[in-house]
Amino acid sequence: MAPRDMDSLLPQLLSFPPHPPVPLADVAYDREVRSLRKVLNDTPASLLTAGVPNGGDLLDILDPSINTLPFLYVLLAHSNAGKQKAPTIGSPLWHKALDFLRTFDSVQVRYVGMEFRRLVMFVRDVALAGNKPIAAVRPLGAAILRLDPSGSCFTSTHVVFVHLCLEAHAFRAATTILDKDIYEFPSSTRTLPSGDLPCSRHDTSSSFITDKSELSDTFTYREPLHYFLYGAMIYLALKDWRRAILFLEFVLTAPSKSHSSHIQVEAYKKWVLANLLAYGEVPSSLPKTTNSQVAKQARTLGKAYEALGAVFQYGIPKEHDVRRLNAEVHIGHQKWSSDHNLSLVLQVLDAYRQSTVAKLESTYVALPLSEVGQRTSPNPNDHTETAHYIAAMISSGQINAIIEQTGNNPGSWVLRFGSSPRQTEQHQHEELKKQVAKTAKVAEHVRETDRKLSLNKEYISWLKQKADMTAAANAGEDPAITLEQTAFEDEDLLSGP
């Protein structure tokens, strides 16, 4: 029976989890939390927002880290009640919502996925309405990792978070989520082992972030593409070219039936520029798993970028020909600007200069700074600017050199290559350790995927059919019927839920 007043409601809201804490078996925990959820679903919003004895309301009594379900329901009831006067950043309800996102019980919230997503969208909408998206960035990032500390299962909240980071230019904050590699998508409950409960211990987050849990909204192929494109744009802003290329290749190699999407075309343009910035060249072909029609259409619509790349690559050996690339950038200025890639193109122009300087290192032992300026600088007579530019390249490790100052005139100084140590052995060792740890993490996810497959009902049925077919063949019987059944089973596995 639904509670009729606060006196009957409050004891039920505080009944779970038990106090003092008592360990509950998974079945008992599941039963209790579902019972509480039913009470909350049956309670009218007007009662959830009503005052409590001695003043205040339920949000002043409940603790979001303990009473996660009732706190969330009360929050949402208040947010709906306040539609006539929308909550704002800094309001008491706003602060209560942020407290919840930072401290909620990560197991209890598995039972209220839809309500959790409603709160996420409430926080997003209030932040955008207040023209301050940055206010929602850290709370939502914390909520994603509180729900799934590995951050490895893609959800609709990932897209909301990354889009807010772009709006707020909160690029460094975005990496708390973007640096967590995505290995899985929400599972279909058809593919999960029977008997697993949301509150059970799960080896991977996709075992409880399922289509039934509603912890992620349903999405099409576009949402992952948006996530990886937005992520690539953030890495480009941080000048992490290689990570940006990886994200762009996720977009380009996404399954496609026949034609490229607008998102993939935009990814290709940025992919060309990112490769120029990272490696000084554009690969002769896209990744092998790219759909051939996607590759063809992307390259057709990205010809201006390919032309820029060709000038960059083949202009570098002509060390005096800086003007050619400048002209190409100037001609396509409107194109780069309308594609929102002008900043990247200007960085490509600077990267060309850096590449030209680096080219000198493989040819000369020493060179007057005035000559370096003639070969690489947009203003060859500004020797001071050339000296500052070269010094910055040396300090960042882009070239192995020193500047010999033989007077007060920078034009008389000499750039001498090969006079400073390269990457230290310790640095190389640290990079190797990172790669080993990353490989071990991938292997762990592969093993878990294999385990899930081995528990999948369809897979077990397929193995049984295969065993029957083998036994029939060994017995000299005709295995044709079994073979036909196995073919249908294969088709079901490939088509998915």
Side-chain angles (χ1 to χ4, degrees):
M1 177 182 290
R4 295 181 178 180
D5 53 39
M6 189 60 68
D7 289 337
S8 60
L9 173 64
L10 191 55
Q12 295 186 64
L13 299 187
L14 298 174
S15 66
F16 180 85
H19 186 77
V22 176
L24 294 175
D26 287 350
V27 174
Y29 187 102
D30 183 79
R31 181 177 61 251
E32 292 296 324
V33 76
R34 289 181 189 277
S35 175
L36 176 59
R37 186 179 65 183
K38 185 178 187 309
V39 169
L40 289 164
N41 284 331
D42 292 341
T43 302
S46 58
L47 182 53
L48 291 174
T49 57
V52 296
N54 301 321
D57 63 31
L58 287 170
L59 292 179
D60 299 319
I61 295 175
L62 300 170
D63 183 339
S65 66
I66 299 173
N67 315 113
T68 294
L69 265 66
F71 195 96
L72 176 57
Y73 272 75
V74 174
L75 261 179
L76 293 174
H78 276 288
S79 69
N80 290 330
K83 284 184 176 178
Q84 298 299 324
K85 183 181 179 182
T88 57
I89 295 172
S91 66
L93 190 62
W94 167 261
H95 286 298
K96 294 289 187 182
L98 298 197
D99 287 344
F100 179 88
L101 291 176
R102 295 189 187 104
T103 63
F104 65 83
D105 183 287
S106 60
V107 176
Q108 290 184 46
V109 85
R110 297 174 188 177
Y111 289 84
V112 285
M114 182 174 66
E115 290 75 16
F116 173 75
R117 286 190 291 104
R118 283 176 57 196
L119 185 65
V120 166
M121 300 310 288
F122 167 76
V123 169
R124 182 203 68 169
D125 293 345
V126 172
L128 291 177
N131 293 317
K132 199 174 180 181
I134 186 66
V137 166
R138 293 193 184 279
L140 291 187
I144 290 173
L145 295 181
R146 192 162 185 83
L147 175 66
D148 172 18
S150 73
S152 62
C153 185
F154 179 85
T155 69
S156 53
T157 307
H158 282 69
V159 184
V160 173
F161 171 78
V162 170
H163 185 257
L164 282 171
C165 289
L166 271 180
E167 289 282 327
H169 290 188
F171 305 133
R172 189 63 61 187
T175 60
T176 59
I177 302 301
L178 291 174
D179 284 351
K180 306 281 188 182
D181 292 328
I182 298 292
Y183 293 101
E184 300 169 295
F185 290 88
S187 302
S188 164
T189 47
R190 267 186 59 191
T191 66
L192 294 177
S194 59
D196 274 5
L197 299 172
C199 61
S200 300
R201 182 187 178 280
H202 296 272
D203 292 325
T204 62
S205 51
S206 65
S207 296
F208 62 83
I209 301 177
T210 64
D211 53 355
K212 189 175 180 180
S213 74
E214 298 186 284
L215 287 165
S216 174
D217 199 358
T218 55
F219 50 80
T220 66
Y221 73 96
R222 291 183 180 276
E223 281 74 17
L225 294 190
H226 276 126
Y227 174 76
F228 287 116
L229 180 61
Y230 294 159
M233 292 165 67
I234 288 170
Y235 281 122
L236 288 170
L238 294 171
K239 299 187 178 182
D240 189 343
W241 314 128
R242 297 187 182 187
R243 186 75 174 169
I245 290 169
L246 176 65
F247 271 49
L248 292 168
E249 290 181 350
F250 286 151
V251 177
L252 292 168
T253 58
S256 177
K257 290 184 178 179
S258 59
H259 58 84
S260 62
S261 67
H262 175 72
I263 303 171
Q264 288 174 307
V265 172
E266 292 307 306
Y268 178 71
K269 295 172 182 178
K270 288 177 169 56
W271 181 79
V272 170
L273 297 175
N275 272 284
L276 291 175
L277 290 164
Y279 306 112
E281 61 181 8
V282 181
S284 57
S285 62
L286 284 161
K288 291 182 180 179
T289 52
T290 307
N291 179 285
S292 59
Q293 287 299 314
V294 170
K296 182 178 179 181
Q297 292 176 27
R299 297 192 69 170
T300 298
L301 296 172
K303 281 193 176 297
Y305 292 83
E306 291 188 348
L308 182 70
V311 173
F312 186 106
Q313 287 180 242
Y314 305 116
I316 287 175
K318 303 174 184 178
E319 294 166 2
H320 296 282
D321 192 13
V322 181
R323 292 185 299 274
R324 184 180 169 197
L325 186 64
N326 273 284
E328 192 72 29
V329 170
H330 178 73
I331 291 170
H333 188 279
Q334 186 174 353
K335 171 70 175 172
W336 322 132
S337 183
S338 62
D339 286 345
H340 303 288
N341 286 329
L342 181 59
S343 175
L344 279 177
V345 171
L346 294 178
Q347 289 183 71
V348 165
L349 193 59
D350 186 59
Y352 179 88
R353 182 181 182 186
Q354 294 177 11
S355 299
T356 306
V357 173
K359 177 74 175 177
L360 299 176
E361 184 179 5
S362 61
T363 308
Y364 300 96
V365 174
L367 203 63
L369 210 59
S370 57
E371 179 65 18
V372 174
Q374 289 294 327
R375 293 171 181 268
T376 67
S377 176
N379 187 358
N381 297 320
D382 190 345
H383 303 312
T384 300
E385 189 277 337
T386 300
H388 288 156
Y389 190 86
I390 298 300
M393 289 188 66
I394 293 171
S395 63
S396 64
Q398 292 173 281
I399 57 173
N400 180 20
I402 61 170
I403 296 176
E404 294 181 350
Q405 300 182 16
T406 55
N408 295 325
N409 179 15
S412 65
W413 297 352
V414 175
L415 178 64
R416 190 169 299 279
F417 296 103
S419 302
S420 60
R422 277 293 190 185
Q423 190 181 50
T424 66
E425 184 177 338
Q426 181 182 355
H427 182 75
Q428 292 175 344
H429 180 66
E430 290 298 322
E431 288 297 316
L432 182 60
K433 283 173 62 179
K434 288 180 184 177
Q435 290 300 320
V436 169
K438 195 168 186 179
T439 303
K441 189 175 181 182
V442 171
E444 179 184 339
H445 280 274
V446 170
R447 285 193 296 271
E448 177 58 22
T449 301
D450 287 342
R451 187 189 72 82
K452 284 184 181 178
L453 182 61
S454 69
L455 296 173
N456 183 282
K457 292 179 181 178
E458 287 88 345
Y459 181 71
I460 292 171
S461 178
W462 178 81
L463 286 177
K464 185 177 183 301
Q465 294 283 355
K466 188 175 180 181
D468 291 343
M469 182 181 69
T470 303
N474 291 339
E477 299 174 5
D478 184 3
I481 295 178
T482 307
L483 182 62
E484 182 180 359
Q485 290 173 340
T486 303
F488 279 116
E489 202 66 45
D490 278 343
E491 184 179 347
D492 288 343
L493 279 170
L494 291 171
S495 63

